[in-house]
Amino acid sequence: MKKIANIFKIDFDSNRIYGLDILRAVAVLVIVILHGNDILPFNTKRRIDYFLPDGVSMFFVLSGFLIGGILIKTLENKGTGINNLFQFWQRRCLRTLPLYYFSLILLIILSWLFVAGFNVWDVKHFFVFCQNFYKSNSTFFTVSWSLSVEEWFYLLIPLIIFILINLFSAKVKTAILSTVVIIIIATIIYRYYRFITIEIKTVETFDIMFRRPVLTRLDSLMFGVGGAYLNYYNNAFWVRNKNIFLVAGLVLLITTRVLTNTILNNSVIYFCNFSFVLDALSTLLLLPYLSQFKKGEGIFFKPITYVSLISYSVYLIHSTFVLQWIVKFVTIPDLNSIALILVKYGTYWMITILLSILSYKFIETPFLRFRKKGKEPNI
């Protein structure tokens, strides 16, 4: 029994930033709850959805903040040589790609064996993260859309910054701020252009053309890079006002839920454009406080850190494999509908957590050891 327990044991660095772990854990738990609602009765699902923030937007802003911080420190401390750019890409690849490709290949195998009419050639674009560059209308590996957004962010944003520095002789500080402002403004304008040229009749159209494409979501990550810029170059302002920003962020977070569910329920322009800005801004305002919340303690410390560590595995596994390939086939004869729902919902959470721990330990962690020495904050 002890050997089995050790399989699921995870050790973690005590130097992690607990506040960022809280944000990451909240984001992934919100996503798991949201997708798990499909198991529940409609009225229950609707009530839960009413209170849930956008977990993916939280992830985007947090990723932008962390990656932006790494880029700034690399450029300021190690220089602007091309080797630093390639080292950055190498470390990102070792962090994100192994589990992604493992999940993609496993899903292809399952689909080839059990899905009638499945053609591997139809999903070739998933290997190069082009499944949702311009639009996203695939029902295969649906959660991968956000990973595609992140991968294009990892590729394009550092490249733009390096070009501004090395070809246009911009200072590091100027190059980063210019990139943040340009990408945010360009993305908002592009979403507005789409809004006035595309007829939005269904939620599916909103998902396909606005919520999931790479070209319409890069601004969410850039809000996080903007936070990293302030944290590095204006740290006194960042720290001094952390409590004010925290309150403002929480108020804005609640406000966006009210706007989404009531006042602007029928406002298409809000959903297609400004909702993304407000969601990102509300998370950004939380970061000054959370990034300074260094140490955790109490009964929630270890569970939150644990969930944060396995969050990437949880995200890839919970819907793609647990919901679609396990839970949907759970059935127990002579069990009433409510009891069956509870069994399915419990199974969903239990298997998601267990498989995610195994995935983190035996797929993610070994590849992380290949990365060159050097610490990255909470990524």
Side-chain angles (χ1 to χ4, degrees):
M1 195 68 181
K2 187 176 180 180
K3 290 183 178 180
I4 295 175
N6 286 335
I7 294 176
F8 295 97
K9 182 182 177 182
I10 295 178
D11 297 318
F12 57 85
D13 187 351
S14 59
N15 292 322
R16 295 176 64 84
I17 300 175
Y18 182 54
L20 300 185
D21 278 335
I22 292 174
L23 183 61
R24 187 184 289 105
V26 168
V28 76
L29 290 175
V30 164
I31 293 168
V32 176
I33 292 170
L34 178 64
H35 291 159
N37 282 349
D38 291 339
I39 301 172
L40 303 175
F42 176 75
N43 287 336
T44 303
K45 168 183 167 64
R46 186 175 60 180
R47 293 189 187 100
I48 294 175
D49 287 351
Y50 188 93
F51 297 99
L52 292 180
D54 186 347
V56 174
S57 287
M58 288 181 171
F59 268 126
F60 282 162
V61 177
L62 179 58
S63 292
F65 177 72
L66 294 170
I67 298 305
I70 291 171
L71 277 173
I72 292 170
K73 290 176 183 177
T74 297
L75 293 169
E76 291 286 4
N77 300 327
K78 296 183 180 180
T80 59
I82 194 67
N83 287 338
N84 288 328
L85 178 59
F86 284 111
Q87 287 178 6
F88 168 82
W89 281 336
Q90 179 189 53
R91 292 175 69 82
R92 287 294 88 211
C93 287
L94 287 172
R95 177 64 185 94
T96 60
L97 297 189
L99 182 58
Y100 172 81
Y101 282 121
F102 176 85
S103 302
L104 176 59
I105 292 170
L106 178 58
L107 187 57
I108 287 173
I109 293 172
L110 290 171
S111 301
W112 179 67
L113 290 174
F114 301 108
V115 177
F118 176 77
N119 187 341
V120 176
W121 189 249
D122 291 338
V123 298
K124 59 185 182 300
H125 44 295
F126 281 80
F127 284 93
V128 290
F129 296 98
C130 287
Q131 63 266 40
N132 62 310
F133 189 79
Y134 174 74
K135 64 179 181 179
S136 174
N137 60 355
S138 176
T139 57
F140 177 85
F141 204 2
T142 53
V143 299
S144 70
W145 72 267
S146 63
L147 304 179
S148 178
V149 174
E150 297 237 13
E151 292 302 325
W152 281 103
F153 164 76
Y154 299 150
L155 176 66
L156 294 177
I157 302 309
L159 184 61
I160 292 171
I161 293 172
F162 269 77
I163 288 174
L164 289 175
I165 293 171
N166 291 292
L167 293 186
F168 296 94
S169 301
K171 294 182 179 179
V172 172
K173 186 177 180 180
T174 302
I176 292 170
L177 182 60
S178 299
T179 303
V180 169
V181 173
I182 290 170
I183 297 298
I184 289 177
I185 293 175
T187 306
I188 293 172
I189 292 173
Y190 178 65
R191 279 200 302 262
Y192 181 73
Y193 169 76
R194 278 202 163 184
F195 170 74
I196 63 176
T197 57
I198 297 173
E199 187 175 6
I200 312 298
K201 291 184 177 181
T202 64
V203 174
E204 287 72 21
T205 304
F206 166 72
D207 271 351
I208 291 169
M209 302 304 294
F210 291 91
R211 191 172 75 90
R212 294 184 178 183
V214 172
L215 294 177
T216 61
R217 295 307 306 272
L218 284 175
D219 61 325
S220 296
L221 289 121
M222 297 311 295
F223 274 101
V225 179
Y229 176 92
L230 288 173
N231 183 39
Y232 188 87
Y233 294 109
N234 298 278
N235 184 256
F237 171 80
W238 179 265
V239 174
R240 184 173 63 248
N241 296 287
K242 64 179 183 178
N243 292 329
I244 297 173
F245 288 141
L246 175 67
V247 174
L250 292 173
V251 170
L252 184 58
L253 191 64
I254 295 171
T255 302
T256 58
R257 299 316 304 154
V258 174
L259 291 175
T260 298
N261 290 295
T262 56
I263 301 172
L264 296 177
N265 192 44
N266 296 315
S267 176
V268 181
I269 180 62
Y270 169 75
F271 283 105
C272 292
N273 206 336
F274 302 117
S275 65
F276 303 118
V277 175
L278 293 181
D279 284 338
L281 185 58
S282 65
T283 302
L284 173 60
L285 290 170
L286 301 178
L287 287 176
Y289 182 87
L290 293 177
S291 64
Q292 298 302 310
F293 190 1
K294 306 288 187 179
K295 300 295 181 181
E297 57 184 16
I299 60 174
F300 295 110
F301 168 58
K302 286 189 175 180
I304 287 173
T305 305
Y306 213 75
V307 171
S308 176
L309 281 169
I310 65 173
S311 60
Y312 184 43
S313 289
V314 169
Y315 184 75
L316 281 173
I317 287 171
H318 78 283
S319 176
T320 303
F321 296 103
V322 180
L323 271 181
Q324 296 180 23
W325 288 95
I326 299 176
V327 173
K328 68 183 295 185
F329 298 110
V330 172
T331 181
I332 302 175
D334 301 324
L335 199 64
N336 65 59
S337 59
I338 295 178
L340 182 58
I341 287 172
L342 293 175
V343 169
K344 285 189 172 185
Y345 197 70
T347 300
Y348 166 62
W349 277 93
M350 180 181 67
I351 296 182
T352 293
I353 297 299
L354 293 179
L355 289 182
S356 297
I357 293 170
L358 296 177
S359 172
Y360 173 79
K361 290 194 68 171
F362 300 109
I363 300 176
E364 288 189 68
T365 301
F367 280 97
L368 294 179
R369 296 192 183 113
F370 286 107
R371 297 200 298 183
K372 292 182 179 180
K373 291 183 179 180
K375 294 184 178 180
E376 289 185 353
N378 273 358
I379 300 181

